Each structure stands twice: as structure tokens, then as C-alpha cells.
Amino acid sequence: MQNSAFFFIYSVAYVMESLYSVLIPNSKTDKIEKILEEAAYYNLSPGKVPKNKDFIQWFLTENKNGYCMHFAAAGVMMLRAVGVSSRYAEGYFVPVSAWEKQEDGSWSAEILDSNAHAWAEIYQENGVKDDDESSDG
């Protein structure tokens, strides 16, 4: 199952990257971001992945709905398939406005589930570049 899912993602990425190279004269990362924007919709309630289904393949071909985790994972697999060294990352985005100074001089913020985020990171000669593949920015 895993090998067929990777082969599928690799094939889609390679074919789409080739097709888009004519239509979109930008970098591979820009092309893959455009592919993902056109392939799926950002949705915080995309449903459950059926048993025995690869979640990236299901996301891209059947459900076509997902949130940052889906877009980032698909983006990383597609980037890797076309030779771009990348990794999947998760963390929290906490806006400056959420922080409050405490009486003892320290700062604290309430971090909610809605602050969670996932993104792709691309290895470059001068370090790692964040590449947010989700449609919500």
C-alpha cells in the first residue's frame, strides 16, 4: 500500500510539474503550490480517511477537502518527488495580541487548538525556508 501510494504521488507530481512548467514559468515550489490550490479546498472538517487508504492520495483524488496538515503533507511529498529537499513541520501560530504581561514581569498566552498549524519546510543552501502549502495562507 505504501509503495503504491508513493508511486501515485510521485507520478502526479512529476506529470503535473511537467505540464505546469509550460503554463507557469516559476519555481517547482510555486508550481506545486498552484497544483494544490487547484486540487483541493481548505476545509476544517474534511471527514475521516477511510481505512486502508493513503490519506494523501485520498485527499488529492477523492475527498479534495483538507486543512493545513493535508496540504503540507501532500506538498512535501510532491516536492520530494520532483527533487526538492523538504520536510513536514507542525507547530502553533500565536499572534502578538494573545500575549499578556504578568504581574511578575513574565509573559503568557492562551494557545488554542485553532492556533495549530502545519507547513512544508524547504532546505536551501542558506538554511530552511517555510513554504506554507495550505490555501488559507
Side-chain angles (χ1 to χ4, degrees), residues 89-93 115-119:
E90 289 183 346
Y92 291 89
F93 172 76
N115 295 112
H117 194 53
W119 60 94

Short mmCIF file of all heavy atoms in Angstrom, two decimals, residues 89-93 115-119:
data_model
loop_
_atom_site.label_atom_id
_atom_site.label_comp_id
_atom_site.label_asym_id
_atom_site.label_seq_id
_atom_site.Cartn_x
_atom_site.Cartn_y
_atom_site.Cartn_z
N ALA A 89 6.38 20.07 8.85
CA ALA A 89 6.53 20.66 10.19
C ALA A 89 5.16 21.02 10.76
O ALA A 89 4.23 21.33 10.01
CB ALA A 89 7.39 21.91 10.11
N GLU A 90 5.05 20.93 12.07
CA GLU A 90 3.83 21.34 12.78
C GLU A 90 4.22 22.24 13.94
O GLU A 90 5.30 22.11 14.50
CB GLU A 90 3.09 20.12 13.36
CG GLU A 90 2.42 19.26 12.35
CD GLU A 90 1.64 18.12 13.00
OE1 GLU A 90 1.83 17.86 14.21
OE2 GLU A 90 0.84 17.50 12.31
N GLY A 91 3.31 23.12 14.28
CA GLY A 91 3.56 24.00 15.42
C GLY A 91 2.33 24.85 15.69
O GLY A 91 1.22 24.48 15.29
N TYR A 92 2.56 25.95 16.35
CA TYR A 92 1.46 26.85 16.70
C TYR A 92 1.79 28.27 16.24
O TYR A 92 2.93 28.71 16.37
CB TYR A 92 1.23 26.85 18.22
CG TYR A 92 0.67 25.56 18.72
CD1 TYR A 92 1.51 24.52 19.10
CD2 TYR A 92 -0.70 25.36 18.79
CE1 TYR A 92 1.00 23.32 19.55
CE2 TYR A 92 -1.22 24.16 19.24
CZ TYR A 92 -0.37 23.15 19.61
OH TYR A 92 -0.88 21.96 20.05
N PHE A 93 0.79 28.95 15.73
CA PHE A 93 0.91 30.36 15.42
C PHE A 93 0.16 31.11 16.51
O PHE A 93 -1.04 30.94 16.67
CB PHE A 93 0.31 30.69 14.05
CG PHE A 93 0.25 32.17 13.81
CD1 PHE A 93 1.39 32.87 13.48
CD2 PHE A 93 -0.94 32.86 13.95
CE1 PHE A 93 1.35 34.24 13.29
CE2 PHE A 93 -0.99 34.24 13.76
CZ PHE A 93 0.16 34.93 13.43
N ASN A 115 -4.88 27.57 17.01
CA ASN A 115 -3.56 28.14 16.73
C ASN A 115 -2.61 27.11 16.10
O ASN A 115 -1.51 27.47 15.68
CB ASN A 115 -2.91 28.68 18.00
CG ASN A 115 -3.64 29.86 18.60
OD1 ASN A 115 -4.22 29.74 19.68
ND2 ASN A 115 -3.65 30.99 17.92
N ALA A 116 -3.02 25.85 16.06
CA ALA A 116 -2.17 24.80 15.48
C ALA A 116 -2.05 25.00 13.98
O ALA A 116 -2.98 25.46 13.32
CB ALA A 116 -2.74 23.42 15.79
N HIS A 117 -0.89 24.65 13.44
CA HIS A 117 -0.67 24.80 12.00
C HIS A 117 0.36 23.78 11.54
O HIS A 117 1.17 23.30 12.33
CB HIS A 117 -0.21 26.23 11.68
CG HIS A 117 -0.29 26.57 10.23
ND1 HIS A 117 -1.44 26.43 9.49
CD2 HIS A 117 0.64 27.04 9.38
CE1 HIS A 117 -1.21 26.82 8.25
NE2 HIS A 117 0.03 27.19 8.15
N ALA A 118 0.35 23.46 10.26
CA ALA A 118 1.34 22.59 9.63
C ALA A 118 1.80 23.26 8.35
O ALA A 118 1.03 23.97 7.71
CB ALA A 118 0.73 21.22 9.32
N TRP A 119 3.05 23.03 7.98
CA TRP A 119 3.59 23.65 6.78
C TRP A 119 4.77 22.82 6.27
O TRP A 119 5.28 21.95 6.96
CB TRP A 119 4.04 25.09 7.06
CG TRP A 119 5.09 25.21 8.11
CD1 TRP A 119 6.45 25.27 7.90
CD2 TRP A 119 4.91 25.26 9.53
NE1 TRP A 119 7.11 25.36 9.10
CE2 TRP A 119 6.18 25.36 10.12
CE3 TRP A 119 3.79 25.24 10.37
CZ2 TRP A 119 6.37 25.43 11.51
CZ3 TRP A 119 3.98 25.32 11.73
CH2 TRP A 119 5.25 25.41 12.29
#
